[in-house]
């Protein structure tokens, strides 16, 4: 199968068109479960089958979502996969991905590259042959751009207008920096449906910015 341009996916096949462009949660879920793989708890690469909490996140998303997650519910894995779907079907988007530290952000970047290889193996190659591909940025053939940062830095988000923002393990970011970072990121994101923000974390006590956001 020849990889289509994002604008041409709908002309290939009704089922493929629904996977990439359908607007219901079930379309999004089918995209993930039909086209993507993921590492299992035992380290094997398996088909990406959503857990019940991941399905609830798909069915209940608002575009401004705060998620308290338990261990091994893989909420961040769902968000990465869902955001990838939008990045490969829309041109010119910017997606900011930030975790609590540089090492975890690098792991998320590797997961995104893994899913892009999944799509390539299915005949849909969106990796740009000319664009940036380094630890800080990744540009797709749709001209949509991933920007990677972490809670260890002070300025991420201020230089960009983000359309999609994923802040992971926010309760575990350095507490002296969370206010500055979230203050720089949130105003840059337009309201839904044009802009999406996901802030998710495992709990880290009854204090801190994430706790206060959840309580409010």
């Amino acid at each position: 199968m020849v990889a289509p341009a994002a604008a041409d996916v709908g002309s290939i096949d009704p089922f493929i068109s629904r996977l990439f462009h359908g607007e219901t949660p079930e379309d999004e879920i089918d995209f993930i479960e039909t086209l993507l793989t993921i590492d299992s708890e035992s380290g094997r690469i398996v088909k990406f089958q959503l857990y019940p909490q991941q399905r609830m996140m798909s069915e209940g998303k608002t575009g401004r979502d705060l998620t308290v997650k338990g261990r091994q519910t893989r909420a961040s894995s769902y968000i990465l996969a869902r955001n990838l779907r939008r990045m490969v079907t829309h041109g010119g988007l910017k997606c900011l991905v930030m975790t609590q530290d540089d090492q975890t952000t690098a792991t998320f970047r590797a997961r995104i590259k893994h899913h892009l290889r999944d799509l390539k193996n299915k005949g849909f190659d969106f990796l740009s042959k000319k664009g940036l591909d380094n630890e800080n940025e990744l540009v797709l053939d749709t001209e949509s751009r991933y920007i990677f940062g972490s809670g260890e830095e002070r300025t991420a988000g201020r230089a960009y207008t983000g359309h999609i923002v994923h802040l992971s393990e926010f309760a575990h970011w350095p507490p002296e920096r969370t206010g500055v970072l979230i203050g720089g990121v949130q105003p840059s994101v337009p309201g839904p449906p044009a802009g999406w923000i996901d802030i998710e974390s495992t709990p880290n006590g009854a204090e801190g910015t994430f706790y206060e956001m959840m309580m409010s």
Side-chain angles (χ1 to χ4, degrees):
M1 186 182 296
V2 177
D8 298 331
V9 172
S11 66
I12 300 301
D13 174 90
F15 177 68
I16 296 299
S17 176
R18 183 177 72 80
L19 292 184
F20 281 87
H21 292 290
E23 298 181 355
T24 71
E26 200 60 37
D27 296 327
E28 175 184 280
I29 291 168
D30 286 348
F31 170 89
I32 294 170
E33 295 191 336
T34 301
L35 299 175
L36 304 185
T37 65
I38 196 167
D39 55 307
S40 69
E41 294 179 7
S42 63
R44 295 172 49 245
I45 301 300
V46 298
K47 291 185 65 175
F48 198 143
Q49 300 293 313
L50 270 65
Y51 292 177
Q53 182 184 359
Q54 293 170 318
R55 284 182 168 268
M56 289 175 60
M57 292 174 68
S58 178
E59 293 163 357
K61 63 182 179 294
T62 67
R64 289 290 189 273
D65 295 298
L66 289 164
T67 301
V68 179
K69 62 183 185 181
R71 298 289 181 183
Q72 300 303 320
T73 53
R74 311 201 84 169
S76 57
S77 297
Y78 157 72
I79 294 168
L80 291 171
R82 183 207 66 196
N83 288 347
L84 176 76
R85 181 176 187 253
R86 190 178 181 202
M87 292 289 281
V88 301
T89 54
H90 292 74
L93 299 180
K94 294 188 179 76
C95 178
L96 178 62
V97 180
M98 299 181 69
T99 75
Q100 73 271 33
D101 55 51
D102 294 338
Q103 183 177 3
T104 308
T105 297
T107 300
F108 278 28
R109 183 185 182 282
R111 176 72 54 76
I112 292 166
K113 291 290 292 285
H114 173 96
H115 289 329
L116 287 166
R117 289 192 294 272
D118 286 335
L119 293 178
K120 183 176 180 179
N121 290 338
K122 297 289 187 177
F124 306 105
D125 187 3
F126 293 98
L127 273 175
S128 176
K129 308 305 183 293
K130 300 176 291 183
L132 290 171
D133 183 358
N134 57 50
E135 63 181 8
N136 298 315
E137 296 186 56
L138 174 63
V139 179
L140 307 182
D141 274 345
T142 57
E143 297 186 5
S144 287
R145 178 187 306 266
Y146 281 99
I147 302 159
F148 301 99
S150 83
E152 294 180 340
E153 58 191 273
R154 297 181 182 274
T155 60
R158 292 188 176 277
Y160 300 96
T161 299
H163 304 93
I164 305 172
V165 172
H166 178 191
L167 309 180
S168 182
E169 290 295 356
F170 192 66
H172 301 272
W173 289 23
E176 69 277 9
R177 299 181 184 176
T178 54
V180 172
L181 286 166
I182 198 68
V185 170
Q186 280 189 315
S188 75
V189 184
W196 298 352
I197 299 179
D198 277 280
I199 303 175
E200 44 87 353
S201 185
T202 51
N204 189 26
E207 60 182 358
T209 304
F210 182 72
Y211 176 79
E212 293 170 0
M213 293 172 71
M214 288 301 305
M215 295 302 293
S216 67

